């Protein structure tokens, strides 16, 4: 059985091939990230950024929140050290579902009313309790790479397990907010419910 | 080679069935061809649908690099037994997941391609496999590729399923067509068979009064009419033929009778002719013998004539001597004999005895000469003789005849030419030739000239006999050697002379003879005789 190249154990076993595969993945992601990378951007950041981009492709916004065709999809990022914003730079200005992607960094007082998608960095775990009611209020698609994000009431979580980024979805929250998630995405994701 | 004889009925059935089968086979082949084509097209459509579903389901797995999910999606293909291989690639042809149907050990395991080419997007049949590929699109963006390989056994399985139906149809059609053909062929074969049976009856019974029954108005009906017309004609001909045959038989019998009668007559005539021929041959032999005897008689007459003179002289001398002796004896007894008387008597005795002796010698000489010739004629033996001398002896023996005229005979030959041959034959030939010249050639000539020229080499002797007499007419010349040809039949000629010459030259001497003559120009006989030379007594 083929092991996903990001498996660390596999990387250790196949060091030679590992280098080649990393190089291939570099080419794969280069379609999304065609600018120079900052030294502090890790592969994981890149993957997570591409995942966020892909989530938009598999998810339909609620009818009452439908984004007008002429307007861009606003991706808001709460990330103090700007590292993740940089990771998004390759997909800035790209079209998804006929909309341009725009990125906006959110900081205090965390006005997210104009956001369609909110990415909360795992370092901002303390803001969850504060942000979740707002998210619910504005029907924003919430994504975070912090552990147990979905359990806490978030919609989509990206959990790194054994060097592999896994997707978790809190389907009930997403459904309640009116989001339609593509069954294909659900197949690759782990369904988590709120605690 | 097996020679199968089919009846017309079987041929018709075979023709109908084979036509149906061939048509059906062509139809089935055409349908099968398009069927296979359709099956292949459908297979491409099916694999496209299948591939599209797999691709669609694998978008998230590709987008989120979920290998497990990708493989899970591909593993769903294990239920499709024709699918041999399926591969999922990223946009950069990195294989994310693959599915391989477990293969037999001796079959080489298929491998994912390094790259999915555009030509595979429509499906490609290659080495009994269908290769198909497609791009995986998510939100109008290409996120990867899918590549599927299916074996084409399903094409044949589906085809064979169809074929089973076709075979059943084919069998049913053959059976049905046999029954239909069997019924249909009757329309054609029945009238033909009827015609055949009629023809058979006519042939067996030799009855030309039988007529075929016309059962249809088609070509076979026409054939029946023609056949009947032919029978009618044949019947007429047969009747005529029988009449002619009878007439012929009668004629033949008459002819045979006539031939028999003629044969008998001919046989009788033939017997008569044979008898006559025998008589003629016998007469001819007798005549030849008579001729020989006549020749011998002539010879004897010649001898008698020649001897007559010296014998007469002797008789006269001896009579005179006796008369003178009686006169002297009378005178002596009367004792009146004188010395003169005695002396006269002595002179007379001397003269007479001389005369008698001389003439007796002459007669002896003549007899000696003629004896030779006579012996040669009567004894058919070979001996060695000088040819020139022998010619002179022949001439001498003919002197009684020659003396009556002034003919000259010239013999030109080598004086020392001796040959071992039959002198009697030469006598016969040349005495006849000379007598013929005297009797015929010199009939009105007193001083004729005959020349005999002899030339001889080691084995052949050539003799030319030539006279300057009156010659022969062409008619006589043409048949000169045939028997009984003569111009003097009423004057003692037998017409056998030249025939005897011819027989002696050709049969006894084994030579050749030819004659040439022109009327008034004399005659020439040319003879060539094979001879053996010998040493004569000098």
């Amino acid at each position: 059985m083929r092991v996903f190249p990001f498996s660390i154990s596999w990387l250790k076993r196949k060091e030679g091939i590992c280098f080649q595969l990393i190089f291939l993945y570099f080419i794969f992601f280069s379609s999304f990230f065609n600018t120079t990378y900052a030294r502090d951007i890790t592969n994981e950041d890149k993957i997570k950024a591409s995942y966020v981009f892909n989530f938009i492709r598999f998810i339909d916004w609620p009818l009452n929140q439908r984004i007008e065709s002429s307007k861009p999809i606003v991706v808001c990022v709460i990330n103090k050290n700007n590292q993740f914003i940089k990771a998004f730079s390759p997909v800035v200005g790209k079209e998804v579902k006929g909309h341009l992607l725009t990125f906006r960094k959110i900081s205090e007082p965390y006005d997210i009313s104009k956001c369609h998608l909110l990415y909360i960095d795992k370092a901002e775990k303390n803001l969850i309790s504060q942000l979740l009611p707002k998210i619910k209020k504005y029907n924003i698609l919430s994504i975070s790479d912090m552990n147990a994000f979905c359990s806490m009431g978030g919609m989509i979580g990206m959990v790194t397990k054994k060097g592999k980024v896994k997707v978790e979805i809190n389907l009930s929250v997403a459904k309640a907010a009116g989001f339609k998630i593509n069954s294909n995405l659900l197949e690759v994701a782990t369904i988590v419910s709120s605690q | 080679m097996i020679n199968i004889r089919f009846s017309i009925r079987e041929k018709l059935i075979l023709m109908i069935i084979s036509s149906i089968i061939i048509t059906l086979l062509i139809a089935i082949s055409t349908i099968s061809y398009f069927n296979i084509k359709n099956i292949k097209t459908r297979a491409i459509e099916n694999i496209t649908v299948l591939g599209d579903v797999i691709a669609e389901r694998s978008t998230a797995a590709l987008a989120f690099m979920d290998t497990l999910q990708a493989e899970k999606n591909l593993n769903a293909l294990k239920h499709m037994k024709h699918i041999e291989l399926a591969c999922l690639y990223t946009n950069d042809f990195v294989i994310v997941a693959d599915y391989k149907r477990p293969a037999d050990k001796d079959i080489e395991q298929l491998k994912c391609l390094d790259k999915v080419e555009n030509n595979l997007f429509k499906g490609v049949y290659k080495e009994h496999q269908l290769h198909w590929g497609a791009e995986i699109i998510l939100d109008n963006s290409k996120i990867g590729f899918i590549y599927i390989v299916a074996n084409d056994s399903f094409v044949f399985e589906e085809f064979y399923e169809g074929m089973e139906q076709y075979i059943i149809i084919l069998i049913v059609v053959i059976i049905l067509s046999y029954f239909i053909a069997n019924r249909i062929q009757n329309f054609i074969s029945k009238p033909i068979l009827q015609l055949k049976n009629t023809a058979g009856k006519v042939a067996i019974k030799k009855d030309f009064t039988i007529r075929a029954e016309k059962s249809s108005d088609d070509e076979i009906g026409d054939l029946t009419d023609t056949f009947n017309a032919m029978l009618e004609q044949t019947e007429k001909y047969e009747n005529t033929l029988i009449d002619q045959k009878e007439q012929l038989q009668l004629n033949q019998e008459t002819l045979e009778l006539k031939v028999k009668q003629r044969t008998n007559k001919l046989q009788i005539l033939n017997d008569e002719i044979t008898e006559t021929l025998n008589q003629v041959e016998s007469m001819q032999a007798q005549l030849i013998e008579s001729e020989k005897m006549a020749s011998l008689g002539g010879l004897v007459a010649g001898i008698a004539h020649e001897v007559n003179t010296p014998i007469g002289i002797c008789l006269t001398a001896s009579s005179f001597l006796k008369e003178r002796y009686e006169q002297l004896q009378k005178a002596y007894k009367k004792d009146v004999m004188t010395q003169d008387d005695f002396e006269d008597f002595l002179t007379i005795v001397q003269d007479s005895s001389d005369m008698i002796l001389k003439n007796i010698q002459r007669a002896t000489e003549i007899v000696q000469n003629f004896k030779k010739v006579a012996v040669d004629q009567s004894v058919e033996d070979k001996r060695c003789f000088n040819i020139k001398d022998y010619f002179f002896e022949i001439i001498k023996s003919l002197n009684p005849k020659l003396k009556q005229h002034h003919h000259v005979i010239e013999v030109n030959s080598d004086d020392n030419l001796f040959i071992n041959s039959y002198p009697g034959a030469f006598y016969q030939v040349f005495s006849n030739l000379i007598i013929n010249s005297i009797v015929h050639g010199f009939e009105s000539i007193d001083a004729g000239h005959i020349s005999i020229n002899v030339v001889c080499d080691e084995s052949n002797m050539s003799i030319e006999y030539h006279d300057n007499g009156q010659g022969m007419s062409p008619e006589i010349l043409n048949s000169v050697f045939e028997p009984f040809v003569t111009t003097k039949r009423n004057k003692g000629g037998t017409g056998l002379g030249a025939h005897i010459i011819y027989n002696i030259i050709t049969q006894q001497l084994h030579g050749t003879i030819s004659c040439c003559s022109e009327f008034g120009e004399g005659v020439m006989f040319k003879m060539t005789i094979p001879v053996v030379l010998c040493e004569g007594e000098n």
Side-chain angles (χ1 to χ4, degrees):
Chain A
M1 185 181 132
R2 189 174 295 277
V3 179
F4 193 70
F6 282 97
S7 158
I8 290 163
S9 59
W10 185 85
L11 284 171
K12 282 176 182 173
R13 282 203 308 273
K14 309 265 179 181
E15 281 175 2
I17 301 166
C18 177
F19 177 77
Q20 291 175 14
L21 287 173
I22 287 166
F23 177 70
L24 286 168
Y25 271 105
F26 173 76
I27 295 166
F28 174 72
F29 288 114
S30 67
S31 60
F32 306 120
F33 309 100
N34 55 8
T35 52
T36 53
Y37 299 104
R39 284 182 180 272
D40 51 355
I41 298 170
T42 62
N43 260 333
E44 200 176 316
D45 292 334
K46 289 178 205 167
I47 290 165
K48 283 174 183 169
S50 76
Y51 273 28
V52 169
F53 178 75
N54 282 333
F55 287 141
I56 302 165
R57 290 166 141 179
F58 285 96
I59 293 167
D60 287 331
W61 265 253
L63 287 173
N64 56 350
Q65 286 286 106
R66 182 164 289 172
I67 307 155
E68 286 174 37
S69 57
S70 57
K71 289 187 175 173
I73 293 174
V74 183
V75 177
C76 300
V77 181
I78 299 175
N79 182 214
K80 276 179 185 166
N81 59 12
N82 287 340
Q83 172 190 308
F84 205 72
I85 288 285
K86 285 176 185 171
F88 272 120
S89 56
V91 290
V92 172
K94 283 210 165 187
E95 273 195 13
V96 185
K97 292 182 172 178
H99 303 280
L100 285 169
L101 276 184
T102 57
F103 291 87
R104 193 178 291 170
K105 190 187 170 189
I106 303 291
S107 50
E108 280 196 66
Y110 306 115
D111 179 11
I112 58 169
S113 59
K114 304 288 181 195
C115 298
H116 296 109
L117 187 151
L118 178 65
Y119 178 81
I120 307 162
D121 187 72
K122 60 184 172 188
E124 313 297 334
K125 199 171 182 178
N126 54 338
L127 292 175
I128 291 298
S129 53
Q130 185 190 339
L131 288 171
L132 278 176
K134 284 185 182 175
I135 290 165
K136 199 174 179 180
K137 184 183 175 186
Y138 297 115
N139 278 349
I140 296 166
L141 181 67
S142 57
I143 302 169
S144 177
D145 59 345
M146 66 183 70
N147 283 332
F149 175 66
C150 291
S151 314
M152 286 186 278
M155 283 180 198
I156 297 169
M158 290 185 286
V159 187
T160 306
K161 285 178 183 172
K162 295 177 185 174
K164 205 172 175 186
V165 180
K166 289 279 182 185
V167 179
E168 287 182 347
I169 294 174
N170 190 330
L171 195 58
S172 54
V173 173
K175 270 186 176 177
F179 285 97
K180 282 186 180 172
I181 300 169
N182 190 303
S183 59
N184 292 341
L185 176 58
L186 293 174
E187 274 181 0
V188 300
T190 311
I191 309 297
V192 178
S193 44
S194 307
Q195 285 177 349
Chain B
M1 196 179 144
I2 302 164
N3 192 7
I4 303 168
R5 189 177 175 273
F6 289 110
S7 67
I8 198 158
R9 189 177 153 273
E10 289 163 340
K11 278 178 190 169
L12 282 168
I13 293 173
L14 267 174
M15 273 166 64
I16 295 167
I17 292 176
S18 53
S19 306
I20 290 168
I21 289 172
I22 289 165
T23 315
L24 214 60
L25 281 175
I26 292 167
I28 288 171
S29 305
T30 315
I31 291 167
S32 299
Y33 170 74
F34 287 110
N35 227 352
I36 289 173
K37 217 175 168 183
N38 285 338
I39 290 168
K40 284 187 170 181
T41 312
R42 217 161 51 237
I44 292 172
E45 286 170 3
N46 289 343
I47 207 166
T48 307
V49 170
L50 190 70
D52 284 349
V53 168
I54 299 287
E56 210 285 319
R57 279 201 65 179
S58 304
T59 46
L62 265 177
F64 298 103
M65 284 297 163
D66 190 340
T67 317
L68 283 173
Q69 185 57 41
E71 282 183 349
K72 202 173 154 189
N73 287 346
L74 289 183
N75 271 329
L77 293 169
K78 69 185 175 192
H79 301 292
M80 308 294 286
K81 57 181 178 180
H82 306 307
I83 306 297
E84 297 286 346
L85 175 75
C87 309
L88 273 175
Y89 303 81
T90 65
N91 233 356
D92 305 302
F93 299 109
V94 176
I95 298 161
V96 177
D98 62 1
Y99 160 77
K100 286 172 187 166
R101 177 168 294 283
D104 295 336
K105 278 179 185 174
D106 51 340
I107 296 171
E108 198 186 338
Q109 188 82 41
L110 286 164
K111 285 177 184 172
C112 291
L113 294 175
D114 293 338
K115 200 177 173 189
V116 179
E117 301 287 349
N118 288 355
N119 65 334
L120 293 175
F121 295 172
K122 287 180 178 176
V124 173
Y125 281 97
K126 200 159 62 181
E127 295 168 355
H128 296 293
Q129 283 168 338
L130 170 58
H131 297 256
W132 177 86
E135 292 173 338
I136 300 173
I137 306 291
L138 177 63
D139 187 29
N140 295 326
S141 297
K142 185 170 71 182
I143 60 162
F145 293 93
I146 185 166
Y147 169 61
I148 299 175
V149 179
N151 65 47
D152 67 350
S153 60
F154 63 91
V155 176
F156 295 102
E157 277 170 19
E158 207 170 320
F159 173 70
Y160 291 140
E161 277 172 26
M163 277 310 288
E164 280 172 16
Q165 293 170 4
Y166 293 141
I167 288 165
I168 291 165
I169 291 168
L170 193 65
I171 291 165
V172 170
V173 167
I174 289 169
I175 294 165
L176 274 174
S177 61
Y178 172 76
F179 286 112
I180 294 165
N182 204 12
R183 300 287 294 176
I184 292 171
Q185 59 82 26
N186 271 333
F187 290 111
I188 301 165
S189 68
K190 206 172 173 183
I192 294 173
L193 288 173
Q194 275 178 356
L195 199 60
K196 180 206 149 197
N197 290 336
T198 311
K201 272 183 199 170
V202 171
I204 292 164
K205 293 181 180 174
K206 307 256 185 262
D207 182 1
F208 296 102
T209 56
I210 296 170
R211 293 289 177 270
E213 192 186 332
K214 188 177 176 180
S215 54
S216 55
D217 272 332
D218 54 7
E219 287 87 342
I220 295 167
D222 294 343
L223 183 67
T224 311
D225 286 341
T226 315
F227 180 70
N228 285 337
M230 205 173 73
L231 281 176
E232 205 171 317
Q233 285 282 341
T234 313
E235 191 184 352
K236 276 183 192 171
Y237 283 134
E238 202 205 28
N239 291 337
T240 317
L241 205 67
I242 288 165
D243 290 346
Q244 283 177 348
K245 207 173 173 183
E246 282 171 2
Q247 188 62 42
L248 200 70
Q249 185 70 28
L250 199 68
N251 288 344
Q252 198 176 347
E253 282 169 9
T254 316
L255 199 68
E256 274 176 11
L257 196 69
K258 277 184 180 173
V259 167
K260 209 170 177 180
Q261 285 170 352
R262 290 278 164 86
T263 310
N264 287 338
K265 276 183 185 174
L266 275 172
Q267 187 61 44
I268 292 161
L269 276 172
N270 195 32
D271 291 348
E272 280 174 6
I273 287 166
T274 310
E275 200 178 334
T276 310
L277 198 66
N278 289 337
Q279 281 175 1
V280 166
E281 278 175 0
S282 162
M283 277 173 76
Q284 193 178 347
Q286 277 177 15
L287 273 169
I288 288 167
E289 200 57 36
S290 306
E291 189 71 9
K292 267 183 161 181
M293 287 300 121
S295 172
L296 204 59
L299 187 68
V300 171
I303 293 165
H305 182 80
E306 283 297 308
V307 170
N308 195 38
T309 308
I311 294 294
I313 291 167
C314 285
L315 186 66
T316 309
S318 57
S319 303
F320 178 68
L321 189 62
K322 191 183 176 186
E323 191 186 312
R324 293 300 293 189
Y325 166 73
E326 282 169 353
Q327 281 174 2
L328 187 67
Q329 195 179 32
K330 273 178 188 174
Y332 175 67
K333 280 178 179 175
K334 287 173 182 176
D335 209 11
V336 289
M337 186 181 72
T338 63
Q339 194 177 349
D340 289 339
D341 287 340
F342 187 69
E343 282 174 355
D344 283 344
F345 180 70
L346 282 176
T347 307
I348 287 164
V349 166
Q350 191 179 1
D351 289 346
S352 296
S353 60
D354 283 347
M355 194 179 280
I356 288 163
L357 186 66
K358 216 175 187 177
N359 279 289
I360 290 294
Q361 278 175 339
R362 166 89 181 130
T364 310
E365 192 186 333
I366 289 164
V367 168
Q368 282 295 327
N369 279 340
F370 283 86
K371 190 184 162 191
K372 270 186 189 171
V373 180
V375 168
D376 286 340
Q377 280 197 73
S378 56
V379 181
E380 300 282 328
D381 279 344
K382 260 186 174 179
R383 70 178 175 87
C384 189
F385 61 95
N386 184 302
I387 191 76
K388 193 174 182 181
D389 290 347
Y390 201 74
F391 279 129
F392 284 127
E393 280 173 25
I394 294 165
I395 294 162
K396 213 178 272 175
S397 75
L398 296 172
N399 257 347
K401 286 191 192 293
L402 290 166
K403 266 196 288 185
Q404 297 164 17
H405 305 280
H406 298 94
H407 304 310
V408 177
I409 300 174
E410 182 190 351
V411 178
N412 300 313
S413 173
D414 184 359
D415 292 340
N416 298 316
L417 180 59
F418 287 88
I419 58 165
N420 190 21
S421 189
Y422 300 96
F426 278 86
Y427 180 83
Q428 284 276 325
V429 170
F430 285 93
S431 64
N432 266 311
L433 283 173
I434 292 164
I435 288 163
N436 276 350
S437 291
I438 293 165
V439 175
H440 303 287
F442 303 143
E443 193 180 8
S444 53
I445 296 167
D446 187 50
H449 182 269
I450 294 167
S451 65
I452 300 166
N453 302 316
V454 182
V455 179
C456 190
D457 61 20
E458 283 183 359
S459 55
N460 285 306
M461 184 166 69
S462 175
I463 305 170
E464 275 183 13
Y465 176 91
H466 183 260
D467 75 28
N468 61 348
Q470 61 187 9
M472 280 184 259
S473 64
E475 298 82 43
I476 293 292
L477 184 66
N478 286 337
S479 54
V480 69
F481 295 119
E482 286 175 19
F484 311 113
V485 174
T486 179
T487 52
K488 300 269 186 290
R489 182 147 338 270
N490 299 324
K491 295 171 186 173
T494 56
L496 284 170
H499 181 62
I500 289 165
I501 291 166
Y502 182 81
N503 283 344
I504 289 167
I505 295 290
T506 56
Q507 289 169 21
Q508 193 175 356
L509 300 177
H510 304 293
T512 57
I513 180 164
S514 62
C515 173
C516 54
S517 173
E518 274 184 40
F519 200 71
E521 293 290 324
V523 70
M524 190 185 80
F525 287 92
K526 188 173 182 179
M527 290 152 273
T528 306
I529 302 157
V531 288
V532 177
L533 299 177
C534 59
E535 292 291 325
E537 301 160 8
N538 287 320

